[in-house]
Amino acid sequence: TRCSGRSSARATSVTLAVLSAGLLVATVVDIRTRRIPNWLTGTMAIAGLGLAALGWGSVSVGAAVLGCVVGLVLMLPGHALGATGAGDVKLMAAVGSLLGPLLVVNAVLFTAIAGGVLAVTVAIHRRRLGMTLAGTGRMIAAPTDIKGEIASGVPASRFAYGPAVAVGSLLAGFLQ
């Protein structure tokens, strides 16, 4: 962060308001459509950079750019394995532009935990917990074909990951 005192609290409040609004929209859209649109992630990223440039955000312009890159890079492996969608990756990059590089690392970690809880909850609700755990065990035992195992999964085992990104990112933002 670059501000201090009252202006720092104001910058954090503005950042968290923009973050919360963007993540709320992302969650609703992802649950309804199973997609997070580029217009949303782009708008969030531009807002993060804009807030930083105007001095209204909680990070500098350099930290906003670096946060965007770190968020993108940390979410790419999940996408490469087929576990997350491209929209989830771009959403975390946008989160990084608002939170900066240090807090986006926390956001990714909290998102992974929230995603695991969400996966178990969805599996229980769909009465697929045993199958989900067995598939997870196979992927851990033979990690060479993780992408194939994920891709071959039935569509009923998939779920919107945007809510996990929202929970993890908001936890990181509010616990700063």
Side-chain angles (χ1 to χ4, degrees), residues 2-55:
R2 63 183 171 150
C3 303
S4 62
R6 204 171 347 157
S7 63
S8 175
R10 187 174 316 134
T12 299
S13 295
V14 170
T15 298
L16 291 176
V18 171
L19 180 68
S20 298
L23 291 171
L24 175 63
V25 173
T27 296
V28 171
V29 170
D30 195 23
I31 289 171
R32 289 183 176 173
T33 68
R34 297 295 194 268
R35 298 183 55 85
I36 299 171
N38 290 337
W39 65 262
L40 176 58
T41 56
T43 300
M44 287 178 67
I46 289 169
L49 294 169
L51 288 173
L54 293 170

Short mmCIF file of all heavy atoms in Angstrom, two decimals, residues 2-55:
data_model
loop_
_atom_site.label_atom_id
_atom_site.label_comp_id
_atom_site.label_asym_id
_atom_site.label_seq_id
_atom_site.Cartn_x
_atom_site.Cartn_y
_atom_site.Cartn_z
N ARG A 2 0.28 2.35 -0.37
CA ARG A 2 1.09 3.56 -0.46
C ARG A 2 0.50 4.71 0.33
O ARG A 2 1.07 5.77 0.40
CB ARG A 2 1.28 3.94 -1.90
CG ARG A 2 -0.01 4.27 -2.59
CD ARG A 2 0.23 4.56 -4.03
NE ARG A 2 -1.07 4.65 -4.66
CZ ARG A 2 -1.31 5.39 -5.68
NH1 ARG A 2 -0.38 6.12 -6.20
NH2 ARG A 2 -2.49 5.42 -6.21
N CYS A 3 -0.68 4.56 0.87
CA CYS A 3 -1.33 5.64 1.61
C CYS A 3 -1.16 5.41 3.10
O CYS A 3 -0.78 4.35 3.54
CB CYS A 3 -2.82 5.68 1.27
SG CYS A 3 -3.16 5.85 -0.48
N SER A 4 -1.48 6.41 3.88
CA SER A 4 -1.45 6.23 5.32
C SER A 4 -2.63 6.96 5.94
O SER A 4 -3.21 7.86 5.35
CB SER A 4 -0.14 6.77 5.88
OG SER A 4 -0.04 8.15 5.64
N GLY A 5 -2.98 6.55 7.13
CA GLY A 5 -4.03 7.22 7.89
C GLY A 5 -5.39 7.14 7.25
O GLY A 5 -5.80 6.12 6.73
N ARG A 6 -6.11 8.26 7.31
CA ARG A 6 -7.49 8.32 6.83
C ARG A 6 -7.60 8.02 5.34
O ARG A 6 -8.49 7.35 4.88
CB ARG A 6 -8.08 9.68 7.15
CG ARG A 6 -9.56 9.64 7.23
CD ARG A 6 -10.20 10.89 7.75
NE ARG A 6 -9.29 11.83 8.39
CZ ARG A 6 -9.53 13.11 8.52
NH1 ARG A 6 -10.63 13.62 8.04
NH2 ARG A 6 -8.69 13.91 9.12
N SER A 7 -6.63 8.53 4.55
CA SER A 7 -6.69 8.29 3.10
C SER A 7 -6.47 6.82 2.78
O SER A 7 -7.03 6.31 1.83
CB SER A 7 -5.67 9.17 2.37
OG SER A 7 -4.36 8.85 2.77
N SER A 8 -5.69 6.13 3.59
CA SER A 8 -5.48 4.69 3.41
C SER A 8 -6.76 3.92 3.67
O SER A 8 -7.11 3.00 2.92
CB SER A 8 -4.37 4.20 4.33
OG SER A 8 -4.23 2.81 4.23
N ALA A 9 -7.46 4.28 4.71
CA ALA A 9 -8.74 3.62 5.02
C ALA A 9 -9.76 3.87 3.92
O ALA A 9 -10.51 2.98 3.53
CB ALA A 9 -9.27 4.11 6.37
N ARG A 10 -9.78 5.09 3.39
CA ARG A 10 -10.70 5.43 2.30
C ARG A 10 -10.35 4.62 1.05
O ARG A 10 -11.22 4.08 0.38
CB ARG A 10 -10.66 6.92 2.00
CG ARG A 10 -11.71 7.35 1.00
CD ARG A 10 -11.77 8.85 0.79
NE ARG A 10 -11.71 9.57 2.06
CZ ARG A 10 -10.94 10.64 2.28
NH1 ARG A 10 -10.19 11.12 1.32
NH2 ARG A 10 -10.92 11.24 3.44
N ALA A 11 -9.06 4.53 0.73
CA ALA A 11 -8.61 3.79 -0.45
C ALA A 11 -8.97 2.31 -0.30
O ALA A 11 -9.43 1.68 -1.25
CB ALA A 11 -7.11 3.96 -0.64
N THR A 12 -8.78 1.77 0.88
CA THR A 12 -9.13 0.36 1.12
C THR A 12 -10.63 0.16 0.97
O THR A 12 -11.07 -0.82 0.37
CB THR A 12 -8.65 -0.08 2.52
OG1 THR A 12 -7.22 0.05 2.57
CG2 THR A 12 -9.03 -1.51 2.80
N SER A 13 -11.42 1.09 1.48
CA SER A 13 -12.88 0.99 1.37
C SER A 13 -13.33 1.04 -0.09
O SER A 13 -14.20 0.26 -0.50
CB SER A 13 -13.56 2.12 2.14
OG SER A 13 -13.31 1.99 3.51
N VAL A 14 -12.75 1.93 -0.86
CA VAL A 14 -13.10 2.04 -2.28
C VAL A 14 -12.72 0.75 -3.00
O VAL A 14 -13.50 0.19 -3.77
CB VAL A 14 -12.43 3.27 -2.93
CG1 VAL A 14 -12.58 3.24 -4.45
CG2 VAL A 14 -12.99 4.56 -2.36
N THR A 15 -11.51 0.28 -2.74
CA THR A 15 -11.04 -0.96 -3.37
C THR A 15 -11.96 -2.12 -3.03
O THR A 15 -12.36 -2.90 -3.92
CB THR A 15 -9.60 -1.28 -2.93
OG1 THR A 15 -8.75 -0.21 -3.36
CG2 THR A 15 -9.11 -2.59 -3.49
N LEU A 16 -12.31 -2.27 -1.77
CA LEU A 16 -13.16 -3.39 -1.35
C LEU A 16 -14.57 -3.26 -1.92
O LEU A 16 -15.21 -4.28 -2.23
CB LEU A 16 -13.18 -3.50 0.17
CG LEU A 16 -11.86 -3.96 0.79
CD1 LEU A 16 -11.96 -3.95 2.31
CD2 LEU A 16 -11.44 -5.33 0.28
N ALA A 17 -15.06 -2.05 -2.08
CA ALA A 17 -16.39 -1.86 -2.67
C ALA A 17 -16.39 -2.29 -4.14
O ALA A 17 -17.30 -3.01 -4.59
CB ALA A 17 -16.82 -0.39 -2.54
N VAL A 18 -15.37 -1.87 -4.88
CA VAL A 18 -15.26 -2.26 -6.30
C VAL A 18 -15.07 -3.77 -6.40
O VAL A 18 -15.70 -4.43 -7.23
CB VAL A 18 -14.12 -1.48 -7.00
CG1 VAL A 18 -13.85 -2.03 -8.39
CG2 VAL A 18 -14.45 0.00 -7.05
N LEU A 19 -14.20 -4.32 -5.57
CA LEU A 19 -13.95 -5.76 -5.56
C LEU A 19 -15.23 -6.53 -5.26
O LEU A 19 -15.58 -7.48 -5.97
CB LEU A 19 -12.87 -6.09 -4.52
CG LEU A 19 -12.50 -7.57 -4.39
CD1 LEU A 19 -11.77 -8.06 -5.63
CD2 LEU A 19 -11.62 -7.77 -3.15
N SER A 20 -15.94 -6.12 -4.23
CA SER A 20 -17.18 -6.80 -3.84
C SER A 20 -18.23 -6.75 -4.94
O SER A 20 -18.88 -7.76 -5.24
CB SER A 20 -17.75 -6.17 -2.56
OG SER A 20 -16.85 -6.32 -1.49
N ALA A 21 -18.40 -5.59 -5.55
CA ALA A 21 -19.40 -5.45 -6.61
C ALA A 21 -19.05 -6.34 -7.80
O ALA A 21 -19.91 -7.06 -8.33
CB ALA A 21 -19.50 -3.99 -7.06
N GLY A 22 -17.80 -6.31 -8.22
CA GLY A 22 -17.38 -7.14 -9.35
C GLY A 22 -17.52 -8.62 -9.07
O GLY A 22 -17.98 -9.39 -9.92
N LEU A 23 -17.14 -9.04 -7.88
CA LEU A 23 -17.24 -10.46 -7.52
C LEU A 23 -18.68 -10.91 -7.37
O LEU A 23 -19.01 -12.07 -7.68
CB LEU A 23 -16.43 -10.75 -6.26
CG LEU A 23 -14.91 -10.65 -6.45
CD1 LEU A 23 -14.20 -10.73 -5.10
CD2 LEU A 23 -14.40 -11.72 -7.40
N LEU A 24 -19.55 -10.03 -6.90
CA LEU A 24 -20.97 -10.38 -6.81
C LEU A 24 -21.53 -10.63 -8.20
O LEU A 24 -22.21 -11.65 -8.43
CB LEU A 24 -21.75 -9.26 -6.11
CG LEU A 24 -23.28 -9.46 -6.06
CD1 LEU A 24 -23.63 -10.70 -5.24
CD2 LEU A 24 -23.94 -8.23 -5.47
N VAL A 25 -21.24 -9.74 -9.13
CA VAL A 25 -21.72 -9.92 -10.51
C VAL A 25 -21.13 -11.19 -11.10
O VAL A 25 -21.83 -11.99 -11.73
CB VAL A 25 -21.40 -8.69 -11.38
CG1 VAL A 25 -21.74 -8.95 -12.84
CG2 VAL A 25 -22.14 -7.46 -10.87
N ALA A 26 -19.84 -11.42 -10.90
CA ALA A 26 -19.18 -12.61 -11.44
C ALA A 26 -19.82 -13.89 -10.90
O ALA A 26 -20.04 -14.85 -11.64
CB ALA A 26 -17.69 -12.59 -11.12
N THR A 27 -20.12 -13.89 -9.61
CA THR A 27 -20.72 -15.07 -8.99
C THR A 27 -22.10 -15.35 -9.58
O THR A 27 -22.40 -16.49 -9.96
CB THR A 27 -20.83 -14.88 -7.46
OG1 THR A 27 -19.50 -14.78 -6.93
CG2 THR A 27 -21.55 -16.01 -6.79
N VAL A 28 -22.93 -14.34 -9.66
CA VAL A 28 -24.29 -14.52 -10.19
C VAL A 28 -24.24 -14.99 -11.64
O VAL A 28 -24.92 -15.95 -12.02
CB VAL A 28 -25.12 -13.22 -10.05
CG1 VAL A 28 -26.44 -13.31 -10.79
CG2 VAL A 28 -25.35 -12.90 -8.57
N VAL A 29 -23.42 -14.33 -12.45
CA VAL A 29 -23.34 -14.70 -13.87
C VAL A 29 -22.77 -16.11 -14.02
O VAL A 29 -23.27 -16.91 -14.82
CB VAL A 29 -22.48 -13.67 -14.65
CG1 VAL A 29 -22.18 -14.14 -16.05
CG2 VAL A 29 -23.20 -12.32 -14.68
N ASP A 30 -21.75 -16.45 -13.25
CA ASP A 30 -21.14 -17.78 -13.36
C ASP A 30 -22.10 -18.88 -12.94
O ASP A 30 -22.18 -19.93 -13.58
CB ASP A 30 -19.85 -17.84 -12.54
CG ASP A 30 -18.98 -19.04 -12.89
OD1 ASP A 30 -19.10 -19.57 -14.01
OD2 ASP A 30 -18.14 -19.43 -12.05
N ILE A 31 -22.85 -18.65 -11.88
CA ILE A 31 -23.83 -19.66 -11.45
C ILE A 31 -24.90 -19.86 -12.52
O ILE A 31 -25.31 -20.98 -12.81
CB ILE A 31 -24.46 -19.27 -10.10
CG1 ILE A 31 -23.42 -19.44 -8.97
CG2 ILE A 31 -25.72 -20.09 -9.81
CD1 ILE A 31 -23.86 -18.88 -7.64
N ARG A 32 -25.34 -18.77 -13.13
CA ARG A 32 -26.40 -18.86 -14.14
C ARG A 32 -25.93 -19.40 -15.48
O ARG A 32 -26.67 -20.10 -16.16
CB ARG A 32 -27.05 -17.49 -14.35
CG ARG A 32 -27.88 -17.05 -13.19
CD ARG A 32 -28.56 -15.74 -13.49
NE ARG A 32 -29.43 -15.37 -12.38
CZ ARG A 32 -30.04 -14.22 -12.30
NH1 ARG A 32 -29.92 -13.32 -13.26
NH2 ARG A 32 -30.81 -13.96 -11.26
N THR A 33 -24.71 -19.04 -15.89
CA THR A 33 -24.27 -19.36 -17.26
C THR A 33 -23.06 -20.28 -17.33
O THR A 33 -22.70 -20.72 -18.40
CB THR A 33 -23.92 -18.07 -18.03
OG1 THR A 33 -22.75 -17.48 -17.46
CG2 THR A 33 -25.09 -17.09 -18.03
N ARG A 34 -22.39 -20.49 -16.22
CA ARG A 34 -21.13 -21.25 -16.15
C ARG A 34 -20.02 -20.56 -16.94
O ARG A 34 -19.10 -21.18 -17.43
CB ARG A 34 -21.28 -22.69 -16.66
CG ARG A 34 -22.22 -23.56 -15.86
CD ARG A 34 -21.68 -23.76 -14.45
NE ARG A 34 -22.36 -24.84 -13.74
CZ ARG A 34 -23.42 -24.66 -12.96
NH1 ARG A 34 -23.93 -23.46 -12.82
NH2 ARG A 34 -23.97 -25.66 -12.34
N ARG A 35 -20.11 -19.25 -17.02
CA ARG A 35 -19.10 -18.44 -17.71
C ARG A 35 -18.91 -17.13 -16.95
O ARG A 35 -19.85 -16.62 -16.34
CB ARG A 35 -19.53 -18.12 -19.15
CG ARG A 35 -19.69 -19.34 -20.04
CD ARG A 35 -20.03 -18.99 -21.45
NE ARG A 35 -19.08 -18.07 -22.06
CZ ARG A 35 -17.93 -18.42 -22.64
NH1 ARG A 35 -17.60 -19.68 -22.69
NH2 ARG A 35 -17.15 -17.52 -23.17
N ILE A 36 -17.70 -16.61 -17.01
CA ILE A 36 -17.42 -15.28 -16.48
C ILE A 36 -16.99 -14.44 -17.68
O ILE A 36 -15.95 -14.71 -18.28
CB ILE A 36 -16.33 -15.31 -15.39
CG1 ILE A 36 -16.79 -16.19 -14.22
CG2 ILE A 36 -16.01 -13.90 -14.91
CD1 ILE A 36 -15.72 -16.46 -13.19
N PRO A 37 -17.79 -13.47 -18.06
CA PRO A 37 -17.54 -12.75 -19.32
C PRO A 37 -16.32 -11.83 -19.28
O PRO A 37 -15.97 -11.27 -18.25
CB PRO A 37 -18.82 -11.94 -19.54
CG PRO A 37 -19.47 -11.85 -18.21
CD PRO A 37 -19.02 -13.03 -17.40
N ASN A 38 -15.72 -11.69 -20.46
CA ASN A 38 -14.54 -10.83 -20.61
C ASN A 38 -14.86 -9.37 -20.26
O ASN A 38 -14.01 -8.68 -19.70
CB ASN A 38 -14.00 -10.90 -22.04
CG ASN A 38 -13.37 -12.24 -22.34
OD1 ASN A 38 -12.94 -12.96 -21.44
ND2 ASN A 38 -13.32 -12.59 -23.61
N TRP A 39 -16.08 -8.92 -20.58
CA TRP A 39 -16.40 -7.52 -20.28
C TRP A 39 -16.33 -7.26 -18.78
O TRP A 39 -15.92 -6.18 -18.36
CB TRP A 39 -17.77 -7.11 -20.84
CG TRP A 39 -18.95 -7.81 -20.23
CD1 TRP A 39 -19.62 -8.88 -20.74
CD2 TRP A 39 -19.60 -7.49 -18.99
NE1 TRP A 39 -20.64 -9.26 -19.90
CE2 TRP A 39 -20.66 -8.42 -18.81
CE3 TRP A 39 -19.39 -6.52 -18.01
CZ2 TRP A 39 -21.49 -8.41 -17.70
CZ3 TRP A 39 -20.23 -6.51 -16.90
CH2 TRP A 39 -21.26 -7.45 -16.76
N LEU A 40 -16.67 -8.27 -17.98
CA LEU A 40 -16.64 -8.10 -16.53
C LEU A 40 -15.21 -8.12 -16.01
O LEU A 40 -14.81 -7.23 -15.24
CB LEU A 40 -17.48 -9.17 -15.84
CG LEU A 40 -17.46 -9.15 -14.32
CD1 LEU A 40 -17.95 -7.82 -13.78
CD2 LEU A 40 -18.30 -10.30 -13.78
N THR A 41 -14.44 -9.12 -16.41
CA THR A 41 -13.07 -9.20 -15.92
C THR A 41 -12.24 -8.01 -16.43
O THR A 41 -11.42 -7.46 -15.69
CB THR A 41 -12.41 -10.53 -16.31
OG1 THR A 41 -12.47 -10.70 -17.74
CG2 THR A 41 -13.10 -11.70 -15.63
N GLY A 42 -12.49 -7.61 -17.67
CA GLY A 42 -11.79 -6.44 -18.21
C GLY A 42 -12.14 -5.17 -17.47
O GLY A 42 -11.25 -4.35 -17.17
N THR A 43 -13.41 -5.00 -17.17
CA THR A 43 -13.85 -3.81 -16.43
C THR A 43 -13.23 -3.78 -15.04
O THR A 43 -12.78 -2.72 -14.58
CB THR A 43 -15.39 -3.78 -16.34
OG1 THR A 43 -15.93 -3.73 -17.66
CG2 THR A 43 -15.88 -2.58 -15.54
N MET A 44 -13.21 -4.93 -14.37
CA MET A 44 -12.60 -4.98 -13.04
C MET A 44 -11.11 -4.65 -13.09
O MET A 44 -10.60 -3.91 -12.25
CB MET A 44 -12.81 -6.35 -12.39
CG MET A 44 -14.23 -6.62 -11.94
SD MET A 44 -14.43 -8.27 -11.25
CE MET A 44 -13.43 -8.15 -9.76
N ALA A 45 -10.40 -5.20 -14.08
CA ALA A 45 -8.97 -4.94 -14.20
C ALA A 45 -8.70 -3.47 -14.49
O ALA A 45 -7.81 -2.85 -13.89
CB ALA A 45 -8.36 -5.83 -15.29
N ILE A 46 -9.48 -2.90 -15.39
CA ILE A 46 -9.33 -1.47 -15.71
C ILE A 46 -9.66 -0.61 -14.48
O ILE A 46 -8.99 0.38 -14.21
CB ILE A 46 -10.20 -1.09 -16.93
CG1 ILE A 46 -9.61 -1.72 -18.19
CG2 ILE A 46 -10.34 0.42 -17.07
CD1 ILE A 46 -10.51 -1.65 -19.40
N ALA A 47 -10.68 -1.02 -13.73
CA ALA A 47 -11.03 -0.28 -12.50
C ALA A 47 -9.87 -0.33 -11.51
O ALA A 47 -9.54 0.70 -10.89
CB ALA A 47 -12.29 -0.86 -11.87
N GLY A 48 -9.25 -1.49 -11.36
CA GLY A 48 -8.10 -1.60 -10.45
C GLY A 48 -6.96 -0.70 -10.88
O GLY A 48 -6.38 0.02 -10.05
N LEU A 49 -6.65 -0.72 -12.16
CA LEU A 49 -5.58 0.15 -12.67
C LEU A 49 -5.96 1.62 -12.57
O LEU A 49 -5.13 2.47 -12.23
CB LEU A 49 -5.25 -0.23 -14.11
CG LEU A 49 -4.63 -1.62 -14.30
CD1 LEU A 49 -4.59 -1.99 -15.78
CD2 LEU A 49 -3.25 -1.69 -13.69
N GLY A 50 -7.22 1.93 -12.86
CA GLY A 50 -7.69 3.31 -12.77
C GLY A 50 -7.65 3.84 -11.35
O GLY A 50 -7.21 4.98 -11.12
N LEU A 51 -8.12 3.04 -10.41
CA LEU A 51 -8.07 3.47 -9.00
C LEU A 51 -6.63 3.73 -8.57
O LEU A 51 -6.34 4.71 -7.88
CB LEU A 51 -8.71 2.42 -8.10
CG LEU A 51 -10.23 2.28 -8.17
CD1 LEU A 51 -10.70 1.09 -7.34
CD2 LEU A 51 -10.92 3.55 -7.72
N ALA A 52 -5.73 2.84 -9.00
CA ALA A 52 -4.32 3.01 -8.64
C ALA A 52 -3.76 4.29 -9.27
O ALA A 52 -3.07 5.06 -8.60
CB ALA A 52 -3.52 1.79 -9.10
N ALA A 53 -4.08 4.53 -10.53
CA ALA A 53 -3.57 5.72 -11.22
C ALA A 53 -4.08 7.02 -10.60
O ALA A 53 -3.36 8.02 -10.55
CB ALA A 53 -3.94 5.66 -12.70
N LEU A 54 -5.33 6.99 -10.14
CA LEU A 54 -5.92 8.18 -9.53
C LEU A 54 -5.54 8.35 -8.06
O LEU A 54 -5.86 9.37 -7.45
CB LEU A 54 -7.44 8.13 -9.66
CG LEU A 54 -7.99 8.24 -11.08
CD1 LEU A 54 -9.49 7.93 -11.10
CD2 LEU A 54 -7.71 9.62 -11.65
N GLY A 55 -4.89 7.34 -7.50
CA GLY A 55 -4.54 7.39 -6.08
C GLY A 55 -5.71 7.05 -5.18
O GLY A 55 -5.66 7.30 -3.98
#
